[in-house]
Amino acid sequence: MYLLNINTQQLEDIHERRPYAILSHAWRVGETHHFHEIGTESVRMQPGYEKVEMCCELARQDGLDYVWIDTCCADANSSAAHTEVAISAYTWYQQAHVCYTYLDDVDGSDDPREGHSAFRRSRWFKRTWTLGELLAPKHVFFFAKDWTMIGTKAGLSSVIAKMTGIHEDALNYPERIPCFSIATRMSWAKGRTSTKEEDRVYALMGLFGVNLPILYGEGETRTLCFQLPVSARLATCA
């Protein structure tokens, strides 16, 4: 597992448990920072790199030395590395000390408790991959586009539950998620989108304890491959 050292902003291959934070957000076009670019001078000038720097600063304030950020910490050009991330991501989210969630479409003055707030309409809540980033970490802090802290998952659990249909117990107690039925957990992903159709399956593997080989170009066929082991698990639990 590669982690970004917040002091050097260099990647380190870590083999033992270290406390770390994760950054959850939605990349904009042109913002993605790839594995081989991290640590170079040029990457610091690229659009969106301030997210990396702010994540490092928040981690520093929380007494942490490392952060994990999706495309920064995994080699997208390596099929083995990509597979490891897809299979292990949910566990990495669970083991994170904290998750910083950056909502670039929400103002710092926004009140999530208002019925028509930008927080409730944020595209972050519509993405498939962010479901695991919401559910798996125990502690999730939400930040507006100016990095003003909006609130925490615990403090906003009733609001998020109404928005997403996810039970408050699942939000506040990640260890209880396996107690919810497969149908209920599947409903939490309804209406969420991903850039690649297959990612709608891969993003849910950790939620159901299912592992599949990571292949693209199969579309709905991959969905069927996912449903088979999930259905088998349902039959076992019946």
Side-chain angles (χ1 to χ4, degrees):
M1 178 186 190
Y2 280 91
L3 293 174
L4 183 66
N5 185 310
I6 68 166
N7 299 302
T8 64
Q9 293 201 12
Q10 298 281 343
L11 292 171
E12 295 183 15
D13 190 4
I14 304 296
H15 297 282
E16 66 276 357
R17 289 285 295 273
R18 300 276 183 88
Y20 60 92
I22 63 172
L23 174 66
S24 179
H25 64 121
W27 291 105
R28 293 287 184 180
V29 175
E31 282 188 348
T32 304
H33 307 110
H34 294 292
F35 181 83
H36 293 293
E37 298 175 311
I38 301 304
T40 65
E41 287 298 322
S42 60
V43 76
R44 298 171 186 265
M45 306 300 294
Q46 293 182 13
Y49 194 75
E50 67 274 6
K51 294 181 187 179
V52 177
E53 294 179 320
M54 283 302 302
C55 179
C56 290
E57 178 56 32
L58 290 171
R60 182 177 292 107
Q61 293 174 16
D62 284 335
L64 303 172
D65 292 321
Y66 295 95
V67 298
W68 187 88
I69 306 174
D70 49 21
T71 56
C72 294
C73 296
D75 187 356
N77 294 321
S78 166
S79 59
H82 187 66
T83 296
E84 181 187 19
V85 171
I87 292 174
S88 304
Y90 194 84
T91 299
W92 294 346
Y93 303 155
Q94 287 177 315
Q95 294 175 349
H97 180 79
V98 62
C99 172
Y100 306 126
T101 298
Y102 178 66
L103 308 178
D104 65 358
D105 51 0
V106 179
D107 290 326
S109 59
D110 190 73
D111 182 357
R113 293 172 178 80
E114 292 291 332
H116 299 288
S117 68
F119 179 86
R120 294 174 182 245
R121 301 192 307 273
S122 176
R123 68 193 182 106
W124 186 87
F125 287 102
K126 302 296 190 294
R127 301 294 291 171
T128 305
W129 279 109
T130 57
L131 179 60
E133 295 164 0
L134 171 65
L135 291 173
K138 177 66 175 176
H139 304 290
V140 180
F141 297 165
F142 294 98
F143 294 88
K145 61 184 178 183
D146 62 355
W147 290 95
T148 298
M149 186 170 168
I150 302 170
T152 67
K153 178 171 71 167
L156 295 170
S157 61
S158 61
V159 172
I160 297 171
K162 290 178 182 177
M163 292 164 46
T164 61
I166 300 172
H167 197 284
E168 279 193 70
D169 269 4
L171 294 168
N172 291 319
Y173 306 101
E175 67 275 10
R176 297 183 185 175
I177 289 175
C179 299
F180 288 87
S181 70
I182 288 175
T184 297
R185 280 178 277 166
M186 196 70 78
S187 72
W188 300 340
K190 186 177 180 180
R192 290 176 177 259
T193 62
S194 60
T195 303
K196 297 179 179 179
E197 185 176 352
E198 294 85 354
D199 281 338
R200 296 176 62 188
V201 169
Y202 302 143
L204 300 180
M205 291 195 299
L207 189 60
F208 293 96
V210 171
N211 289 331
L212 293 174
I214 307 304
L215 301 171
Y216 288 95
E218 294 188 337
E220 292 185 3
T221 301
R222 213 68 194 133
T223 303
L224 293 174
C225 291
F226 175 69
Q227 290 174 342
L228 287 173
V230 170
S231 297
R233 179 159 297 194
L234 178 60
T236 301
C237 295

